[in-house]
Amino acid sequence: MDTTREVLNIVVVGHVGHGKSTVIGRLLYDTKSLPEGAIDRVKKIAKEKGKPFEYAYLLDAFEEEQKQGITIDTTQLQFRTNKRDYVIIDAPGHKEFLKNMISGAASAEAALLIIDGNEGIQEQSKRHGYILSLLGIQKAYVLVNKMDLIDYSEEKFNAIKQEMNEFLHGLHVYPLKYIPISAFHGENITMKSDKMPWYKGEPVLEAIDLFEKDKGLEGKPLRFPIQDVYKFDNRRIIAGRIEAGTLHAGDEILISPSNKVTKVKSIEFWADKDKKDSVSAGMSVGITVEDEFFNQRGEFISHIVEGPKTSDIFKVSLFWMGKNDLVKNKEYKLKLATQEVECEIYAINKVIDATTLENIENANQAKTNDVAEVTIKTKRAICFDEFRSNQNTGRFVLVDGYDVCGGGIVTGLVQERQLVSKFFNQDHEIVVSFFDEYYYIFSESNIKKIAANPHSFTTGDVIPTAGITYEYPADFNVVDLKTNLVAKIRKSKLQDITSFGEYQYDFLPFIESQGSYLRIHSAEDFKNFQLDIEKIQQAESVKTAAVANQWFEFMRFRQIRYLTETKSLEIEYQI
Ligand code: GDP
């Protein structure tokens, strides 16, 4: 393959028998990409066996030739058009395809989904649609095949198109084109078919040239995961491979997740002749930076804008390959780029049986070969991207003991950087503002509330019971009147969240979710308080302020500190 030409990796999927091999055979044949003499050999064999010639057999012949050469996991069939080269990623089955895509062994940028116009949507058409959706492959054409069997009918084509669109849109897959073809008869493959004059679009070979290639990795936001830091004649050289983007000497950079900002001092080279001012995706490099913080393996270097996502809890789609089941709450080791961290399977939101596409919501385990939508919680915050925006920094593996037991792709954050603090578990969520700090600002004669470092706490997490302007006890209950939930804080940790009605009074202090102490000293008080709250929530005539004045005591665990002006507040926050 000519290295200066553009290459597009394309995957062809479809229900068995719908014409996948015939389409591929046709594409190879029509672009003269078959090995010398293959077509004659296949014709001869077919004749000897008394079978009609099939384009699909060409594929077998081609695969056979490839197998005799080098051993490769995925068969890579290649063909070219005037515009560029194509590699058809054709895995033996959907499981293998998924596994290869997730592990990085194969990377399809675009897809052709073949559907038999006579049979319509079948089980595998759905499964493949799901896989495209899972992998975020957004460049897809649907080829409605075997149009010869449905009289090249526009009406029937439109009916399939509608049916397929309804299904795929439900999965957030939006095909760019629908092309009516007959792979067997070569209609609308290389040339526009005169059997279907009603079709105004391009034939397949022209249409695939219209797939826009993704921006090259060099043009994407910079991702430079640190592999190692070497001390070298008093300099600290940060070494690693640039996974995406371009880095210039002098660039301002962000180091995540520690959130440090510095500048690139130099890009290091062994020999002067290799000297460059910039390095980009795919290169292994060493750099020095101006502020020599204690950088370490695993951290990501990016530019200040468009940095990676940083979190200790995120959603993934996981392809499970382990001998043992994937188990909720179990700990595994997660490896993503150069990061290695202990993690917990926080929730198995959905298990999808890859054969039947059946879903099981909120499962406790998944079996080998299952695809599971999982929430993962890592011991410390790590950096990553969503797979759909960067495949290299959006995929990871899970290790159980010494074995790789699963491969996954990051599908999203559980929550973006937030403005409010929250307590949450699988079933409930409470927005709390009782970690906020209160200041009286002299210059403004005003009281200001500042949300202090918003964060989400889940069961088992230690919460900051002592701030600058508050100090709560180690054991207490948080009542949220908006949701009627109670969060139990025990030994300064969030122990549980239950509904207000279910709560058994236990003499521990109650604090309302904005930080006011509640004057509840007995089971009777608790009951009366509940009744008052019910009244407020049901009838508007009850005076909320009167109830609050009776029960709330804002200053019990809080104080308001004095500040000269807001500026000093900012300084105080930087400390
Ligand atoms: P695959 O399992 O998806 O790879 O399907 P194949 O390519 O092996 O095709 C299955 C059968 O459908 C073969 O017998 C093909 O000859 C036949 N076939 C493929 N394309 C067409 C078509 O356009 N028209 C008709 N009538 N038959 C087709």
Side-chain angles (χ1 to χ4, degrees):
M1 204 172 260
D2 184 345
T3 50
T4 56
R5 277 169 59 89
E6 186 175 277
V7 181
L8 189 87
N9 293 340
I10 199 165
V11 64
V12 184
V13 292
H15 190 79
V16 62
H18 280 199
K20 204 169 75 121
S21 316
T22 310
V23 168
I24 298 173
R26 260 289 173 189
L27 288 173
L28 297 174
Y29 175 74
D30 288 346
T31 54
K32 304 191 173 48
S33 309
L34 288 161
E36 192 88 9
I39 189 132
D40 292 336
R41 274 204 305 281
V42 172
K43 276 187 177 156
K44 204 168 135 218
I45 294 167
K47 204 170 164 192
E48 280 166 11
K49 291 190 176 167
K51 284 190 186 168
F53 169 78
E54 287 261 4
Y55 280 96
Y57 298 160
L58 286 172
L59 199 58
D60 298 340
F62 196 18
E63 284 179 6
E64 216 30 64
E65 296 240 342
Q66 282 212 336
K67 279 192 196 120
Q68 285 162 11
I70 24 160
T71 359
I72 34 176
D73 287 338
T74 15
T75 316
Q76 296 213 328
L77 305 155
Q78 298 168 3
F79 66 94
R80 52 163 44 204
T81 61
N82 284 338
K83 178 168 175 165
R84 60 187 164 206
D85 291 344
Y86 289 89
V87 174
I88 300 181
I89 298 168
D90 178 45
H94 64 275
K95 270 182 198 155
E96 286 75 10
F97 171 63
L98 199 56
K99 194 163 147 183
N100 287 339
M101 277 294 287
I102 283 177
S103 65
S107 66
E109 294 165 75
L112 299 179
L113 186 52
I114 317 279
I115 182 154
D116 181 332
N118 201 27
E119 275 198 9
I121 299 184
Q122 297 294 312
E123 184 193 306
Q124 283 167 312
S125 330
K126 290 192 180 174
R127 196 177 308 146
H128 293 149
Y130 170 73
I131 292 173
L132 297 185
S133 141
L134 182 72
L135 297 170
I137 298 178
Q138 291 176 352
K139 290 165 201 152
Y141 295 157
V142 175
L143 309 188
V144 180
N145 191 27
K146 306 196 187 181
M147 286 301 293
D148 54 305
L149 299 183
I150 50 171
D151 314 318
Y152 296 107
S153 150
E154 180 178 14
E155 209 174 294
K156 287 181 181 153
F157 168 78
N158 283 335
I160 297 266
K161 184 172 164 181
Q162 191 180 337
E163 188 190 5
M164 201 64 188
N165 250 347
E166 272 167 24
F167 169 70
L168 291 175
H169 285 192
L171 293 169
H172 303 288
V173 173
Y174 308 104
L176 300 168
K177 287 178 192 297
Y178 279 81
I179 309 177
I181 62 167
S182 168
F184 191 83
H185 297 286
E187 301 296 336
N188 274 341
I189 301 288
T190 346
M191 281 188 307
K192 256 175 97 72
S193 162
D194 50 18
K195 303 242 169 31
M196 293 172 273
W198 46 266
Y199 173 68
K200 303 284 178 249
E202 307 80 7
V204 178
L205 265 175
E206 267 175 43
I208 54 173
D209 274 352
L210 299 174
F211 277 132
E212 250 177 68
K213 186 145 172 88
D214 276 344
K215 233 201 286 181
L217 277 174
E218 314 84 62
K220 292 201 166 188
L222 174 69
R223 295 293 180 265
F224 178 25
I226 301 179
Q227 193 117 41
D228 262 308
V229 181
Y230 300 103
K231 275 203 98 169
F232 198 75
D233 32 280
N234 280 339
R235 289 173 305 159
R236 282 175 156 273
I237 297 185
I238 299 175
R241 201 180 103 102
I242 300 194
E243 293 295 350
T246 303
L247 180 72
H248 303 263
D251 277 1
E252 283 222 303
I253 51 167
L254 174 71
I255 303 173
S256 306
S258 53
N259 225 8
K260 291 169 293 202
V261 172
T262 184
K263 251 186 185 172
V264 178
K265 197 151 92 186
S266 67
I267 297 173
E268 299 292 314
F269 295 93
W270 288 114
D272 268 355
K273 67 174 175 51
D274 297 330
K275 217 166 156 52
K276 280 197 196 93
D277 283 339
S278 74
V279 280
S280 50
M283 296 178 167
S284 290
V285 298
I287 63 165
T288 61
V289 295
E290 273 180 6
D291 304 284
E292 295 199 334
F293 314 109
F294 182 65
N295 300 308
Q296 46 187 332
R297 179 182 166 87
E299 289 189 297
F300 273 29
I301 291 177
S302 68
H303 287 122
I304 296 170
V305 288
E306 298 189 297
K309 300 239 178 336
T310 299
S311 180
D312 59 356
I313 185 157
F314 43 89
K315 288 192 177 153
V316 306
S317 290
L318 194 64
F319 185 74
W320 189 246
M321 303 175 251
K323 290 192 291 283
N324 303 319
D325 286 354
L326 167 77
V327 183
K328 187 176 149 185
N329 297 130
K330 196 179 152 166
E331 292 196 351
Y332 297 93
K333 192 194 284 166
L334 180 146
K335 293 188 185 184
L336 189 154
T338 53
Q339 302 169 106
E340 270 190 47
V341 62
E342 298 291 320
C343 73
E344 184 198 336
I345 303 302
Y346 183 75
I348 303 179
N349 308 315
K350 212 189 248 184
V351 176
I352 302 106
D353 183 317
T355 336
T356 59
L357 259 203
E358 255 175 63
N359 282 340
I360 306 163
E361 308 255 334
N362 291 324
N364 285 317
Q365 66 266 324
K367 300 183 302 299
T368 190
N369 285 331
D370 277 346
V371 177
E373 291 177 11
V374 171
T375 304
I376 287 192
K377 187 160 182 4
T378 47
K379 277 257 158 73
R380 55 183 165 79
I382 61 161
C383 307
F384 52 84
D385 287 288
E386 283 181 22
F387 185 76
R388 64 180 63 213
S389 54
N390 190 324
Q391 301 199 349
N392 291 342
T393 47
R395 74 162 70 91
F396 63 90
V397 294
L398 285 189
V399 180
D400 188 11
Y402 294 99
D403 301 322
V404 171
C405 52
I409 58 181
V410 181
T411 51
L413 282 178
V414 168
Q415 54 258 118
E416 282 283 358
R417 192 165 289 174
Q418 57 192 68
L419 298 168
V420 291
S421 287
K422 283 177 190 168
F423 289 161
F424 74 103
N425 65 11
Q426 251 168 285
D427 304 313
H428 303 299
E429 180 180 290
I430 303 180
V431 173
V432 289
S433 51
F434 70 13
F435 302 126
D436 294 350
E437 310 283 7
Y438 286 79
Y439 295 94
Y440 184 88
I441 318 291
F442 276 126
S443 59
E444 296 170 31
S445 303
N446 201 358
I447 293 176
K448 276 206 166 160
K449 185 173 90 165
I450 304 293
N453 194 21
H455 186 72
S456 291
F457 302 89
T458 188
T459 36
D461 286 350
V462 172
I463 64 154
T465 45
I468 301 168
T469 63
Y470 64 84
E471 188 156 357
Y472 300 120
D475 298 297
F476 65 101
N477 302 304
V478 181
V479 182
D480 185 48
L481 300 174
K482 281 196 208 79
T483 53
N484 281 342
L485 292 169
V486 177
K488 296 182 189 175
I489 308 298
R490 301 291 181 267
K491 295 195 170 69
S492 299
K493 283 185 186 168
L494 174 61
Q495 189 190 59
D496 199 7
I497 305 176
T498 55
S499 80
F500 199 22
E502 271 166 30
Y503 185 79
Q504 299 287 321
Y505 182 67
D506 57 5
F507 295 97
L508 288 173
F510 276 93
I511 300 174
E512 178 271 331
S513 59
Q514 308 209 10
S516 296
Y517 168 69
L518 300 177
R519 297 188 185 101
I520 297 172
H521 306 115
S522 65
E524 206 189 346
D525 283 350
F526 183 62
K527 224 155 98 215
N528 288 334
F529 175 70
Q530 267 183 311
L531 288 175
D532 277 357
I533 295 306
E534 270 172 35
K535 276 188 222 155
I536 292 180
Q537 289 172 346
Q538 280 165 11
E540 293 190 5
S541 58
V542 179
K543 294 236 168 12
T544 311
V547 172
N549 279 323
Q550 182 191 342
W551 295 103
F552 289 20
E553 191 180 326
F554 183 69
M555 300 297 272
R556 176 70 165 261
F557 296 117
R558 289 195 154 280
Q559 53 162 312
I560 297 174
R561 286 186 51 163
Y562 293 102
L563 279 178
T564 320
E565 53 185 335
T566 325
K567 218 165 154 215
S568 53
L569 179 74
E570 281 156 16
I571 291 162
E572 197 158 338
Y573 263 81
Q574 280 173 17
I575 292 166

